[in-house]
Amino acid sequence: MDRKALDEIYRTMLRIRRFDESVTGLFQEGLVKGTAHSYVGQEAVAAGACAALTQADFVVSHHRGHGHCIAKGASLGKMMAELMGRVTGYCKGLGGSMHIADLDLNILGANGIVGAGIGIGSGAALANALRGNGAIGIAFFGDGACNEGIFHECLNLGSLWKLPIVYLCENNQYGLSTSIKESTSIDRIARRAEAYSLPGVTVDGNDVLAVHEAVQAAVARARGGEGPTLIEALTYRWGDHSMRANLPRYRGDAEVADWLKLDPIARFEGRLKGEFGFDDEQLARARADVEAELTAAKAFAVASPEPTMEDLAGTVYAPHYAPAEPKLGGARELSFAEAIKEALAQEMARDPNVFVLGEDVGRIGGIFAATRGLIDTFGAQRLRDTPISEAAIAACAVGSAISGMRPVAEVQIFDFITHMMDMIVNQSAKFRFMLGGKPTVPLVIRGPQGGGIRLAAQHSQSLEAWFTHVPGLVVLAPSSPYEAKGLLTSAIRENNPVIFLEHKLLYVGRKGVVPEEQYAIPIGKAAVRRSGQDVTVIATLAMVDVALQAASRLEAEGIDVEVIDPRTLRPLDEDAIIRSVRKTSRLVIVHEGWKRWGFGAEVAALVAEKAIDWLDAPIVRLGAQDYPMPYNDKLERMVIPSVDDIVTSVKSVVLRDRMTV
């Protein structure tokens, strides 16, 4: 390395240390609130590693991520403002210490969830591989993350797909307070690379040039199409886990003293003077310059205003995709699976950033055949069969989405989405907000849910209430092949993460009219499936057809039922529901999810708050009974709301009112 590069690495290490030392002081003063996680002692890892990257390369960090951001070129002022919760911070004061990011610098974010960056980085690397742009990235993580499932899933996937990424473990010897000797069954984390056919390298993490050399080699391998490397950098954090940890002593004085003797900055200063001809004046000038930068950063942050509630506007959701409601004719009929497939095919042909990943989506087209044959048109790069690794599938979707792709991830059976919850709820739903409302996360997670085909308790749940509860997610619920195609088209074009629910009974049910041309159904707009005057029935997914059958039967008995299909569960078309209830004065809500704490409870609360004066009878909710789904076919039918159940419920509100009158 030439003298200029060596000087810059030295300055980077100084910036990192002095920044976090200053943050500690500001925390004690009360200017930095909450908490922060100091990187002091580990400066050689970030500085040495990031010096091997280009502007186009990305980094993904962890909760101790100040060092990585500074080493990648982040502004000290914006970082300091973020830690103080000021609106001029990188994330408008909404993310704080654990969530700093700058997508313009390809800093894809620090993260408060242990190991999450391994998954997000794998997805970002997949995006670069699909584009063939030659960019690579580093996923930084601590030794604690190596015992998380996402570590193993992503190293396997990264090796399998030869992703252009470096997995860099900063082994600072401790999780919160538990030593790695007490938490990890292997003496060197780098040895775990053997299980995934990767090179595994252990390096002195307090020697900045040794780190740089190891990362340079790994970067060259990744950029050359040979896949990932696992690097373990042995280092030590000088402070506690966080600035507010207030933990009992868990490290011995002798241990701490021994590691302090290996101070990475002092060691590098010695080499700069002994091997590279730097003098004391040159080093002093660098220290003075860094102090001036830090003084300016603190002044900028202290003078910056705090965010207001107005600053929250637009931070959770990007504008929803809302085309005009299509008015299409024709008589061509498709099955539900065929409608899904046609939407995917048309969107993949329209936009090269759209790709599909999931278990068995390529060769066999998924267990319900919704992607069958697409691999023949679009190839295995865009119809990607994955291992049985739901967390890694979701992580690759999130990471590639924030990197500009539009992934569609299939969950083979929707019950398995429980393995994906961190990436969906903690990552995709919050990413835009944590970064101050700047980025978009355009991904779709789709798959079959619900009962009715005798797959029993772990393959038959209706879990939409989980996702409708989470700000940042869009939840779509098509009830026919027509809606399936139009809503999936909108979902793929949407700039927010979408949970796309496909009920199993719709796959095995009748066909429906689906126009051949491309069309998109607006997100957030309900449909009136049947107009009526006596009672409103709101039904979702497979329950829409059941409600329509009940309405036909009730018509013969002189009861005129209006059936509303929300189509979008979040955002919900509240106006359409209130309008209908004001017309009919009665409401029955039908969904297959469990009645207690379910979607129907939220709709009932909405109507009670906004239209209670129009109600002539109590609201009735129908949902699955409070049992897991039984395997026995008769019991399964009894647990799920039926036509008879809806007829009985409608009569209870209509006839009760008539008898009262």
Side-chain angles (χ1 to χ4, degrees):
M1 299 180 72
D2 61 27
R3 291 175 62 86
K4 182 179 179 182
L6 291 167
D7 180 70
E8 185 53 40
I9 284 183
Y10 178 59
R11 288 168 181 263
T12 296
M13 295 173 72
L14 290 174
R15 289 185 189 104
I16 295 169
R17 176 161 299 181
R18 291 296 298 126
F19 181 88
D20 268 354
E21 288 176 341
S22 298
V23 168
T24 300
L26 293 167
F27 178 78
Q28 293 167 350
E29 291 178 43
L31 288 171
V32 171
K33 299 179 176 65
T35 192
H37 302 79
S38 175
Y39 197 71
V40 170
Q42 301 178 214
E43 297 88 353
V45 183
C50 290
L53 300 179
T54 69
Q55 174 75 22
D57 298 329
F58 70 82
V59 297
V60 187
S61 186
H62 48 69
H63 54 262
R64 198 177 308 285
H66 306 159
H68 314 127
C69 294
I70 292 171
K72 194 64 167 65
S75 158
L76 298 184
K78 289 183 178 180
M79 288 183 61
M80 193 70 77
E82 185 60 35
L83 267 65
M84 291 188 191
R86 305 304 171 93
V87 75
T88 55
Y90 269 116
C91 309
K92 294 185 178 179
L94 305 181
S97 170
M98 290 185 285
H99 306 120
I100 288 177
D102 184 353
L103 300 190
D104 292 336
L105 293 175
N106 283 305
I107 301 170
L108 304 188
N111 210 292
I113 306 298
V114 174
I118 303 171
I120 292 173
S122 298
L126 174 59
N128 287 337
L130 287 168
R131 290 196 179 105
N133 58 15
I136 64 97
I138 299 177
F140 292 96
F141 52 95
D143 48 278
C146 298
N147 296 319
E148 293 277 2
I150 194 72
F151 169 86
H152 298 277
E153 290 189 25
C154 286
L155 260 66
N156 178 62
L157 198 66
S159 177
L160 189 68
W161 289 350
K162 296 191 180 302
L163 294 179
I165 187 171
V166 178
Y167 297 114
L168 205 167
C169 173
E170 298 184 87
N171 182 354
N172 66 14
Q173 315 305 310
Y174 287 88
L176 181 66
S177 64
T178 303
S179 166
I180 188 171
K181 296 174 184 177
E182 298 170 343
S183 67
T184 305
S185 63
I186 196 167
D187 62 343
R188 284 287 174 265
I189 288 168
R191 287 178 53 201
R192 286 186 167 168
E194 299 172 20
Y196 305 109
S197 301
L198 296 177
V201 178
T202 299
V203 65
D204 182 350
N206 285 2
D207 182 340
V208 68
L209 297 184
V211 172
H212 181 67
E213 183 179 359
V215 173
Q216 265 195 322
V219 165
R221 171 183 164 82
R223 218 182 293 283
E226 298 178 66
T229 301
L230 172 62
I231 297 176
E232 176 187 18
L234 299 176
T235 185
Y236 198 75
R237 68 166 196 245
W238 287 16
D240 269 334
H241 171 69
S242 76
M243 294 178 188
R244 67 181 305 167
N246 195 27
L247 299 172
R249 288 174 59 83
Y250 55 90
R251 302 187 292 189
D253 291 340
E255 175 188 304
V256 174
D258 286 342
W259 277 100
L260 292 182
K261 293 173 186 174
L262 301 175
D263 178 351
I265 293 180
R267 289 176 67 184
F268 191 43
E269 286 175 344
R271 294 190 68 181
L272 288 175
K273 291 194 290 185
E275 296 178 36
F276 301 106
F278 282 61
D279 56 33
D280 289 336
E281 182 181 349
Q282 196 168 355
L283 299 182
R285 186 163 56 248
R287 288 194 292 269
D289 289 346
V290 167
E291 287 301 319
E293 293 174 19
L294 198 60
T295 298
K298 286 194 285 187
F300 169 79
V302 169
S304 296
E306 294 188 9
T308 64
M309 288 301 292
E310 287 72 23
D311 292 306
L312 294 183
T315 58
V316 179
Y317 289 98
H320 293 299
Y321 185 72
E325 184 77 29
K327 294 181 180 179
L328 303 170
R332 186 188 67 145
E333 291 193 340
L334 294 180
S335 69
F336 194 86
E338 289 168 337
I340 294 287
K341 176 180 172 181
E342 187 162 274
L344 287 170
Q346 290 178 347
E347 286 303 292
M348 292 177 77
R350 184 187 68 86
D351 185 349
N353 290 319
V354 178
F355 71 100
V356 178
L357 73 162
E359 298 158 14
D360 304 303
V361 298
R363 292 178 182 83
I364 70 168
I367 61 173
F368 287 95
T371 60
R372 187 166 297 168
L374 292 180
I375 195 170
D376 298 331
T377 303
F378 299 103
Q381 289 296 302
R382 295 180 68 191
L383 264 295
R384 303 186 74 91
D385 280 327
T386 68
I388 300 175
S389 301
E390 283 83 8
I393 294 167
C396 283
V398 175
S400 61
I402 66 178
S403 300
M405 302 297 288
R406 290 188 176 270
V408 180
E410 178 176 310
V411 189
Q412 196 168 73
I413 296 290
F414 225 68
D415 307 65
F416 307 160
I417 207 166
T418 52
H419 294 280
M420 299 178 163
M421 290 299 282
D422 173 60
M423 281 295 154
I424 294 172
V425 174
N426 283 326
Q427 305 302 330
S428 73
K430 296 179 174 65
F431 192 80
R432 177 180 172 84
F433 177 81
M434 291 188 304
L435 272 62
K438 296 178 225 176
T440 59
V441 191
L443 64 87
V444 179
I445 295 181
R446 50 160 292 270
Q449 78 156 23
I453 62 172
R454 292 166 301 286
L455 292 182
Q458 293 179 340
H459 288 66
S460 304
Q461 296 168 96
S462 294
L463 302 174
E464 61 270 15
W466 290 2
F467 303 106
T468 53
H469 184 66
V470 180
L473 296 179
V474 172
V475 184
L476 303 185
S479 62
S480 73
Y482 177 85
E483 269 77 31
K485 179 178 175 180
L487 285 174
L488 184 54
T489 298
S490 291
I492 294 171
R493 298 178 186 181
E494 171 77 357
N495 282 326
N496 299 292
V498 176
I499 304 297
F500 194 85
L501 307 171
E502 303 165 10
H503 199 286
K504 297 184 193 76
L505 284 176
L506 298 175
Y507 278 112
V508 299
R510 58 184 174 79
K511 293 187 175 185
V513 173
V514 179
E516 188 170 356
E517 60 264 43
Q518 278 186 299
Y519 63 93
I521 292 173
I523 288 172
K525 186 173 181 181
V528 179
R529 294 280 171 242
R530 186 184 191 279
S531 184
Q533 298 295 323
D534 293 333
V535 60
T536 297
V537 174
I538 297 172
T540 62
L541 294 159
M543 290 293 104
V544 174
D545 190 57
V546 178
L548 290 170
Q549 293 177 49
S552 295
R553 186 188 299 181
L554 288 161
E555 184 179 24
E557 301 183 36
I559 298 175
D560 192 14
V561 178
E562 179 153 293
V563 178
I564 303 291
D565 176 2
R567 301 194 296 193
T568 301
L569 306 186
R570 185 172 184 129
L572 184 66
D573 189 348
E574 297 182 5
D575 290 342
I577 293 170
I578 299 302
R579 213 167 32 243
S580 180
V581 170
R582 287 177 174 177
K583 178 173 72 170
T584 67
S585 300
R586 304 169 190 88
L587 176 62
V588 174
I589 308 162
V590 188
H591 55 84
E592 190 180 306
W594 292 295
K595 175 181 173 180
R596 292 179 181 271
W597 314 102
F599 172 74
E602 177 61 26
V603 175
L606 166 71
V607 173
E609 290 171 359
K610 296 190 175 182
I612 194 167
D613 291 340
W614 278 267
L615 289 174
D616 291 337
I619 299 169
V620 173
R621 291 178 291 137
L622 279 175
Q625 295 187 43
D626 219 8
Y627 304 100
M629 196 66 70
Y631 170 71
N632 178 273
D633 58 338
K634 293 179 181 177
L635 288 176
E636 182 181 44
R637 287 193 293 273
M638 292 173 70
V639 166
I640 299 171
S642 66
V643 172
D644 287 342
D645 293 332
I646 297 174
V647 167
T648 299
S649 295
V650 168
K651 285 182 176 180
S652 74
V653 297
V654 174
L655 299 182
R656 172 189 182 279
D657 181 51
R658 289 178 180 176
M659 286 187 291
T660 302
V661 172

